[in-house]
Amino acid sequence: MSKKFKLKVSARLMRKKVKKQVVSQKKQCRFKSNPDLARALDYKNVSLLRGFLTERGKILPSRVSGNSDFYQRKLARQIKLARSMALLPYCSIGR
Amino acid sequence: MMYYETLILLDPQASPADIESVESQVKDLLSKNTGSLATFDKWGKYSLAYPVRKKDHGIYALARYEIAENHDALFKKLDTHFRVKLPDLVMRHVHVKLTPEEFKAEYIKPEPVDREGGDRGDRGGDRRRAQRATAAAPVREAAPAKKEEASAAEQAAELTTDQSAEG
């Protein structure tokens, strides 16, 4: 689909939609596929939780991390708990 | 039997005697309320993710205990005890309910990171750490004894990444 002239708006949007679908299908929830990891999902396990924060300390959305609904909620709950106990930052100064 | 754990954040200047007294007070409170303290792990001094009461460090202690069913009064008593009787020692605390399996299982203790070099946070690509999760701690957080070298290295790395980010 490499046309040199500009595509009509509707065609461009269709291509975008297809691209998005393809990308999101590849991601699998790492907690669903690994029960040991799921068991390790705890507010005390800072090294695991840190991998789900951006450099500013924000929680990564599930469309980026690939987590399923259930585990994303659980993860968020554990991160917020860790934050309240000063194990993780609420906001870190990224550059 | 219900299983719980309480993570306590204590003042960094607390002496070992202070921490022992906290442990015994928690034990007493539990035994008076049909509970029994299973473990009281002192994690030691940690660098906090953000200043708490204007302090950058704190001492963590994790108490795991079991109590008879329907004893919510215990938590109120623990809370008031920490807030009214030990406000100078105990800075934060949180109660978490555990399943019987979690109660018996070992938990993963965080590494006491010294953040004098500055908290770089998680740059792009470090999200893959989550896949290598459970036991492994991130490389840059290893060896807290070499904090000067580590902080110097971190600062140097920070400079280079800044240059690459701005460039």
Side-chain angles (χ1 to χ4, degrees), chain A residues 49-61 79 83 88-95, chain B residues 49-50 115 119-127 140 158 162:
Chain A
L49 263 38
R50 203 178 274 284
F52 291 98
L53 296 182
T54 67
E55 55 184 56
R56 294 213 132 188
K58 295 162 113 178
I59 301 174
L60 285 171
I79 288 175
R83 280 174 174 172
L88 283 175
Y90 280 98
C91 159
S92 44
I93 304 159
R95 290 288 180 95
Chain B
Y50 52 86
R115 290 170 212 279
D119 188 2
R120 290 177 60 223
D122 277 291
R123 302 291 164 124
D126 286 346
R127 285 158 214 161
R140 66 176 172 82
E158 212 174 349
D162 285 345

Side-chain angles (χ1 to χ4, degrees), chain A residues 3-14:
Chain A
K3 295 183 179 177
K4 284 185 184 169
F5 54 86
K6 223 178 177 183
L7 289 169
K8 281 189 181 168
V9 177
S10 53
R12 253 190 281 141
L13 289 173
M14 288 290 284

Side-chain angles (χ1 to χ4, degrees), chain B residues 16 18 21 48 55 57 75-76 99 117 132:
Chain B
D18 290 331
S21 75
L48 301 175
K55 288 161 195 154
H57 295 81
F75 294 108
K76 273 198 171 165
T99 61
R132 303 195 293 265

Side-chain angles (χ1 to χ4, degrees), chain A residues 30-31 34 36-37 39-40 42-56 60 64 74 81-95, chain B residues 5 7-9 43 48-50 52 60 62 64 92-94 96 107-110 115 119-123 126-127 129-131 133-134 136-138 140-141 158 162:
Chain A
R30 51 173 65 94
F31 297 104
N34 187 354
D36 287 328
L37 200 67
R39 238 174 284 131
D42 187 34
Y43 69 104
K44 299 184 289 293
N45 193 352
V46 174
S47 52
L48 170 66
L49 263 38
R50 203 178 274 284
F52 291 98
L53 296 182
T54 67
E55 55 184 56
R56 294 213 132 188
L60 285 171
V64 173
K74 189 169 182 205
L81 201 56
R83 280 174 174 172
S84 75
M85 286 305 289
L87 291 164
L88 283 175
Y90 280 98
C91 159
S92 44
I93 304 159
R95 290 288 180 95
Chain B
E5 69 178 10
L7 184 64
I8 308 166
L9 177 60
W43 290 3
L48 301 175
Y50 52 86
V52 175
Y60 284 101
L62 184 75
R64 278 197 168 175
R92 298 269 164 101
H93 70 277
V94 68
V96 175
Y107 59 88
I108 295 162
K109 206 161 92 168
R115 290 170 212 279
D119 188 2
R120 290 177 60 223
D122 277 291
R123 302 291 164 124
D126 286 346
R127 285 158 214 161
R129 277 187 207 160
Q131 292 173 354
T134 46
R140 66 176 172 82
E141 292 180 354
E158 212 174 349
D162 285 345

